[in-house]
Each structure stands twice: as C-alpha cells, then as structure tokens.
Amino acid sequence: MPSDGKTNKALRDKYFTQLDDENKWMCVCGKVISQAKNKGYTNLINHLKLLHSDYQMDEKNQSLDKFVTIQASSSVSRKAKNYFCWIEWICSELRPFSFVESEYTRKYCSLEPICRNTLTKIMNLVTRRVERKITTTLPSVFAIIIDGWTKSSTHYVGVFASYLENDTRTHVLLGFSPLLEETSLGASQHFEYLNFILNLYGKSFNNVVCIIADNCETNKALSRLCKVPMIGCASHRFNLAVTEYLSPFSSILNKVHSLMTKLKTVKLSAKLRLHTHLKPVVQNDTRWSSAHEMIKRYTRLRPVLDQHFNDEQILLDFFLTPRENQELANLSETMDILNSVTVALQKDDIDMSSVRLLFDEVLRRVESLDKQHKYLHTDSPIVKDPDFENGIVKIIEKNFGSLNSNERLACQKLESPFEIEVESAIVESADFATQVLKNKRARIENSSGYINCDFLEPTSNRLERLFSSAGICFTDLRQSLSPLHFEEQIFLKENKKFWDIKLVQEAVNEL
C-alpha cells in the first residue's frame, strides 16, 4: 500500500478518533497515541504496523474492522467508548470491580480512569437493555436448561434458553441468581423462580417445550409443576452408571489413592522430583474421571516407584501386588472407553440421537455396565419422560413411522406449526407456477410434521461450565460482592452478542 499523505489521512480517519487534547488520538483498539498537530501521521501509522499488521488487508481484515463497525461511529461519544472498553474488559475476564481503581491499572492503562460505582451503574443500565433485547429475540418455542450452584452459603440457579437461530443451536443466559425464597430449595421455589424469569422476558411455560436438568427428584417435581416434559442430563446418568460400575474396584482404587496421597508429602515429593517431572494425582468424590486420571498417572509413575521407592517403609503397605497391577491394567482399558464417552458428551453439537448411540455401544462393549438397567437404558427408571426422549431420538433420525401413540402424545409440542402457514402465505407478486412450486417445497420440508429438534440438548453441561468460570470469579477475596452485581457480570459475559458500544451509548444518555 503506498504511504502517501492522502492514504495515511484515510487510515487516520478510519482507525483513530481525536480526543479533547488535539495531540491525542485513540485507536479503535483503545490505545491512545500522541501525534502532534500538523506533523504528519508517523506515530499513528507506526502503531498500525506494530500492533495491527493486518490493517492493509481490507476485505480479509477481521481484527480492526470488527472494532471499526462497532466503535467508529460519529454518534458514539468518547465517554461511551471508554465505558464500553471497561465493561468489556471487566466482564470478559471476570475481574473484580476494584480493578478499575487499582493504582497500577490506572498507571499503565490507556483508558480514561473511572470509579467502581460508575462502572456498576453503567453495567446495570446495560443489563436492563440487554434483557429487553433478549425479550424481542427469544422465539416462541425454546427449551430451558436449569441447574443450581452453591457458593459461600448462597444457592444460585442458572437458566439458559436453547433454540435454533438460522438452523444453528443458540443459547441465551436468562438468569443466574439466588432463588426468590432462599429458606427452602424445593421444587415449588424453583417453579416460582423460573416463572419469574419467563415473565421477565414476556414468556410463559407455554413457550417451553422441555426442561433439561439433572435427574434428581427436585427437577422431576419441577417438571411436573411446570407441566413440561423433562430431558435428564445424559452426563449425570453416565456418571452415576460408571460410579456404580467402579464400586467393586473400590479397594484397589483406594489403595492407589492412598499411595498417591503419601507421595504428595514433602519428603517423598522432593525425592520424586529427582527422577520425574510427573506429580501424583488423587481421585475426588465428585467426578469418576478423576479415578481414570489417577490410574493413568500411576501407570506412568510405576517404573519410577519400582526402581527408586521400593525401600520406602512408609509405602510398603500401599504397593500393589502383581495381580492387582494386572487387574488395574484391565480396568484402565475399560476406563479409556468410558472416558471417551464422557468427553464426547461435553461437545456442543451432540444431540439426543448421538447419546442413544453412545449408550447402546458402551453397553455392548462393557456388558457389566449398568447391568441393573438403572441409568443408561431407554427404560431406565431414572428417566422421567422416556416416551418424550425416545420420541425426540426418532424425530432426529427421521424415523417418524416408528413413533407410537404415547411418543406422539409426549412430543405434541414439537409438532410443526408452519405447514399451513407456509401454504397460505402466497406472495401476490409471484406467478401461479412459482406459487405452486414454492408450496410444494414447503410441504416437502415440513412433511415430517415436527420442528427441527437440534436445539434440544441432551446434557446440562453448559451450566456446569458456567459454574466453573463463576467459581474462578467469586473467590474468597470477593465475598462482599453482592449477588446482583455478580449476576450482571456473568450475564453480560455470557450474552456478549447482545450488547455493543451503541447500546452502551444509550445507557450513557440516561446518566
């Protein structure tokens, strides 16, 4: 690209905004550059070359142009740009609000300083606007994903809406806050909370096709109160099944766990570091996969232990016998299979049909798994609405002819409401032949009589990931953080696609 004055001026106008100080220019990335008036554009162009080397790629540019479309608008004030950058930074990285008042943040950050009270005030205004935007975006049919999380004696309930947008599975965080009545955590309290959330967005249980949640009795009772079918979390079912499968091996697993615990002591850890960089891994009670990780680590540490630790008296009672080692090796092979299923259930694009296929195959490969038919089979008692779940699998697989009467009744809310509407929605400007062919294509596309069920997730893992990030944010050093501000920070992070600098400008106009 030629570096003539006209081109450089165009780059300046495109990527920089002049501040009150005529010698200061703010790049669309937020960096403030000093460039003396009437002294050319050297500093500005050097900034683009150093930090935005792809600025010359006009059509292919994905970094600066993204900022330009959002930020480079004459209708957006410098104050709104500054607030937008702070809110995006604090919410995206879940930083404490006091970060904006830190001495070193203000020393090394090019953004104009603000106080935490101003930050939370703007965040509240932005949150209200995002809620109104979601209200106009939510379709008439969607699924609810719900789960609970307890931190520091406060029980939070997270609610996602799952629906299709341009044939793509889309999620919106509707709420993440304590129950309206915290003295009881029963189904009725969850029902009131969920009803409140739906009313906030102008919806009701008539718009909800199902609830996706863990297979506990509270969620089953909640489903009955809402008069909405329930999809039990497949990951929860699988975790229960594998935990029961591992119970006969508890003695050998406890022995390995004790060995690993001993190796974590100061002296033995120091000795272990002399021979390997690997550290001991212990299992925990919440996830069976920790036992798998412990076995894999023991397998890798075993040569080191046999060679350098066989004289440690404190470990003699915890070394495995040759038979136990062989038994553990056989168990490890099976656990590799089970772990692969756990990983597959975490994928965002997995559907009910894929879960059914995985469960059937793992039951075939591991015959003793779930031998009591408690968890993984289609007729397992833990499944609250087997007709609904089985019906969804058949609809996804387009096996409509095999739907029995009970499954058709359970999937009544999934029946397509569009066939008649499409046939009657004739475009007046189209000729007769075009109208006939368009209606024929519409009838073929809707011949199943059911809507696309790809938005019906088989797990509530999305909320588990949300709780993990929330736990990183809500540390012991942030115990004074109010639930309202905590919810707003998580809400804006998860729903980033619904707000931009123009929406922040609208919030600023209210101040």
Side-chain angles (χ1 to χ4, degrees):
M1 177 181 289
S3 59
D4 55 272
K6 184 179 294 186
T7 301
N8 289 343
K9 182 177 184 300
L11 290 172
R12 182 201 67 182
D13 295 339
K14 182 177 183 181
Y15 296 119
F16 296 90
T17 302
Q18 190 172 23
L19 303 181
D20 293 342
D21 184 346
E22 294 183 350
N23 294 330
K24 300 289 185 180
W25 295 79
M26 177 182 285
C27 176
V28 290
C29 69
K31 182 73 174 178
V32 176
I33 310 297
S34 296
Q35 179 65 64
K37 188 178 180 180
N38 300 327
K39 294 295 183 180
Y41 315 97
T42 303
N43 293 347
L44 305 181
I45 300 303
N46 286 341
H47 170 76
L48 293 178
K49 291 179 179 179
L50 290 174
L51 297 183
H52 310 292
S53 58
D54 58 348
Y55 73 95
Q56 298 180 8
M57 302 166 59
D58 293 331
E59 288 81 11
K60 297 181 180 180
N61 189 341
Q62 298 296 323
S63 59
L64 282 175
D65 285 350
K66 179 181 178 181
F67 285 99
V68 170
T69 56
I70 296 178
Q71 293 179 264
S73 173
S74 58
S75 62
V76 176
S77 66
R78 178 169 56 87
K79 180 183 290 186
K81 292 179 182 179
N82 190 59
Y83 288 159
F84 171 80
C85 293
W86 277 118
I87 295 173
E88 185 178 42
W89 191 359
I90 296 301
C91 293
S92 297
E93 297 188 355
L94 295 177
R95 291 185 175 272
F97 300 138
S98 59
F99 179 77
V100 300
E101 297 179 343
S102 168
E103 174 187 355
Y104 291 102
T105 301
R106 293 186 172 182
K107 181 177 180 180
Y108 295 110
C109 178
S110 60
L111 296 176
E112 297 181 24
I114 63 173
C115 67
R116 61 187 302 174
N117 291 336
T118 301
L119 174 70
T120 54
K121 186 175 182 179
I122 295 296
M123 283 177 56
N124 181 268
L125 294 174
V126 171
T127 299
R128 301 288 82 80
R129 278 169 169 73
V130 171
E131 289 175 348
R132 291 197 289 269
K133 201 168 185 180
I134 293 175
T135 300
T136 61
T137 303
L138 272 180
S140 58
V141 173
F142 57 90
I144 286 293
I145 310 174
I146 185 171
D147 202 356
W149 178 69
T150 301
K151 181 69 174 181
S152 299
S153 72
T154 301
H155 184 74
Y156 294 85
V157 177
V159 179
F160 272 103
S162 177
Y163 58 92
L164 286 181
E165 186 176 43
N166 298 325
D167 293 328
T168 302
R169 186 185 290 176
T170 305
H171 305 89
V172 176
L173 180 63
L174 301 182
F176 180 64
S177 63
L179 293 174
L180 303 178
E181 176 57 56
E182 296 185 66
T183 57
S184 177
L185 304 179
S188 58
Q189 284 70 34
H190 284 78
F191 173 79
E192 292 176 2
Y193 174 77
L194 196 53
N195 189 51
F196 167 79
I197 291 293
L198 291 173
N199 289 335
L200 181 65
Y201 297 98
K203 303 296 181 182
S204 67
F205 290 110
N206 293 328
N207 303 109
V208 180
V209 295
C210 72
I211 293 175
I212 304 168
D214 284 351
N215 303 273
C216 64
E217 294 303 320
T218 299
N219 290 332
K220 292 179 180 180
L222 173 63
S223 173
R224 289 190 291 270
L225 286 174
C226 300
K227 298 180 181 179
V228 173
M230 171 181 160
I231 295 178
C233 177
S235 289
H236 183 231
R237 289 169 60 188
F238 192 71
N239 188 54
L240 292 173
V242 176
T243 300
E244 185 171 285
Y245 168 77
L246 294 177
S247 59
F249 304 96
S250 59
S251 60
I252 189 172
L253 291 175
N254 290 337
K255 197 171 183 180
V256 178
H257 175 78
S258 299
L259 176 62
M260 289 293 183
T261 302
K262 292 294 182 181
L263 289 172
K264 290 173 72 72
T265 59
V266 176
K267 291 183 178 180
L268 293 181
S269 293
K271 184 177 180 180
L272 191 63
R273 285 193 294 270
L274 296 176
H275 307 287
T276 179
H277 68 282
L278 299 174
K279 293 184 178 180
V281 172
V282 298
Q283 64 177 341
N284 58 63
D285 296 331
T286 57
R287 293 290 178 183
W288 74 266
S289 55
S290 64
H292 174 255
E293 295 170 3
M294 181 183 69
I295 292 176
K296 303 301 281 187
R297 181 54 52 88
Y298 169 76
T299 302
R300 297 182 65 185
L301 286 176
R302 184 183 166 190
V304 177
L305 298 177
D306 290 343
Q307 184 175 358
H308 301 287
F309 287 79
N310 52 13
D311 58 344
E312 291 288 345
Q313 296 294 322
I314 195 174
L315 299 179
L316 292 181
D317 293 336
F318 304 104
F319 283 130
L320 273 63
T321 65
R323 176 173 293 183
E324 289 174 332
N325 279 319
Q326 182 59 49
E327 183 180 356
L328 195 67
N330 296 335
L331 177 62
S332 179
E333 294 179 3
T334 302
M335 293 183 75
D336 287 340
I337 297 174
L338 302 179
N339 187 65
S340 68
V341 176
T342 294
V343 173
L345 292 176
Q346 296 288 336
K347 295 181 179 179
D348 287 337
D349 59 347
I350 194 166
D351 57 25
M352 297 286 292
S353 175
S354 301
V355 168
R356 185 70 266 150
L357 177 63
L358 285 173
F359 282 3
D360 289 343
E361 284 299 310
V362 77
L363 287 172
R364 184 179 64 83
R365 290 286 300 274
V366 188
E367 295 180 358
S368 58
L369 182 68
D370 198 18
K371 58 185 177 182
Q372 301 297 329
H373 287 231
K374 290 183 179 179
Y375 306 113
L376 303 186
H377 295 264
T378 56
D379 57 350
S380 298
I382 196 174
V383 180
K384 179 186 177 296
D385 297 298
D387 291 328
F388 182 70
E389 294 195 15
N390 293 334
I392 293 173
V393 172
K394 293 178 181 179
I395 292 172
I396 292 175
E397 295 176 348
K398 302 188 183 303
N399 192 11
F400 311 111
S402 63
L403 286 165
N404 59 42
S405 58
N406 291 334
E407 292 168 349
R408 290 182 183 276
L409 182 62
C411 298
Q412 199 169 22
K413 273 195 172 184
L414 301 177
E415 293 179 357
S416 174
F418 306 115
E419 185 173 351
I420 298 177
E421 294 178 7
V422 172
E423 289 193 35
S424 62
I426 299 177
V427 181
E428 295 182 0
S429 60
D431 58 50
F432 173 78
T434 301
Q435 295 171 3
V436 171
L437 294 175
K438 179 179 289 187
N439 286 335
K440 177 186 176 183
R441 286 194 296 269
R443 284 194 298 271
I444 293 175
E445 291 172 358
N446 294 279
S447 61
S448 69
Y450 293 95
I451 62 176
N452 189 339
C453 294
D454 289 343
F455 69 98
L456 299 179
E457 292 197 24
T459 71
S460 58
N461 291 333
R462 187 167 303 277
L463 277 165
E464 294 291 342
R465 291 191 288 270
L466 173 68
F467 298 154
S468 295
S469 61
I472 296 174
C473 166
F474 197 21
T475 63
D476 292 338
L477 299 178
R478 299 189 69 186
Q479 294 304 297
S480 60
L481 179 64
S482 71
L484 175 62
H485 291 158
F486 183 40
E487 178 187 11
E488 289 175 349
Q489 189 175 18
I490 298 293
F491 182 83
L492 293 178
K493 171 182 168 60
E494 293 295 323
N495 295 325
K496 178 61 180 70
K497 63 182 178 181
F498 288 102
W499 59 280
D500 54 22
I501 194 169
K502 293 182 179 179
L503 191 140
V504 175
Q505 177 67 72
E506 295 175 8
V508 170
N509 293 338
E510 282 194 20
L511 295 177

